[in-house]
Amino acid sequence: MLRIEKEGRVAKVVLDRPDKHNALNAELIQAITDAFRQLSTDASVKVVSLSGEGKSFCAGADLNYMAEIAAFGKEENYQDSLRLADAFESIAACPKPVVAYAHGACLGGGAGLLAACDYVVSALDAQFGFTEARLGLAPSVISPYVVRKIGIGHARALFLSAERFDAETALRIGLVNRLGDSADEVVRMLLENGPVAMAAIKKLLSELPSWDSGQAREETARLIANLRSGDEGQDGMKAFLERRKPRYQEE
């Protein structure tokens, strides 16, 4: 269903339903939530990667799962949708940087998983789409993450048309950050950075849109002051001046 592999300070979360193109069902959705909540508090982990086993990253909702939820009443559907929302939020709220590798089919909720991540590397042959409208549905639960990534204009066009698009288009609109054969280079790059700083950056970017100019002035000044005077920032600045590696690169 899902497995976690640890290599040094990297936790690799792998969707593991290759015979179903890693399509989402209730069990996988819960496994994603549990995995990212666990890794969020694991001090031994600095970077998290997310990928899919087999031919696809994630082809959206599993057909059997869709048959089940089609029979649900309104309240059951609401509770099920909240559990789905928890899965996406567990990724977005993870204080560690989350890097995804997209390949094959990345449709519906699969594209939503990518949007919840911080950095997405894609194979050139990956196919994307927010195809819910073809089923008389809407990409509702994933919309906060997708709109943050690609903007309301691209979301409006792609949600309403339900068209599929390629990796180069995904790169152009911001759903994907770079094209490549793996996410390894990005993971190595992130391992060079301070973990406290990266967690602070994620929190800053999450809260910044809700601040007015006065609050932004105060909060951003307070954040950089805290980082400059903290152990990690002190070591990072001294290491730069002394032309040595900071401790967080040697751990």
Side-chain angles (χ1 to χ4, degrees), residues 6 40 44 51 61 70 95 101 111 133 139 143 149 162 168 171 184 214 217 226 228 232 234 246 248:
K6 289 189 177 179
S40 290
S44 70
S51 61
Y101 184 68
S143 62
K149 275 275 189 178
E168 291 182 340
L171 178 66
D184 292 348
R217 175 177 177 271
N226 289 340
R228 285 173 179 170
E232 183 178 281
Q234 285 285 301
Y248 50 78

Side-chain angles (χ1 to χ4, degrees), residues 10-22:
V10 180
K12 297 182 176 182
V13 179
V14 183
L15 308 180
D16 197 10
R17 301 186 73 215
D19 56 321
K20 301 293 185 182
H21 291 268
N22 300 312

Side-chain angles (χ1 to χ4, degrees), residues 22 30 48-49 81 90 94 96-97 118 128-129 153 172 186 226:
N22 300 312
Q30 188 61 53
V48 182
S49 69
S81 298
S90 71
C94 180
K96 333 281 185 175
D118 300 302
F128 305 84
R172 177 175 56 80
V186 175
N226 289 340

Side-chain angles (χ1 to χ4, degrees), residues 102 114 120-122 128 167 170-179:
L114 298 175
V120 179
V121 181
S122 176
F128 305 84
L171 178 66
R172 177 175 56 80
I173 66 176
L175 182 62
V176 163
N177 301 102
R178 70 162 68 178
L179 303 179

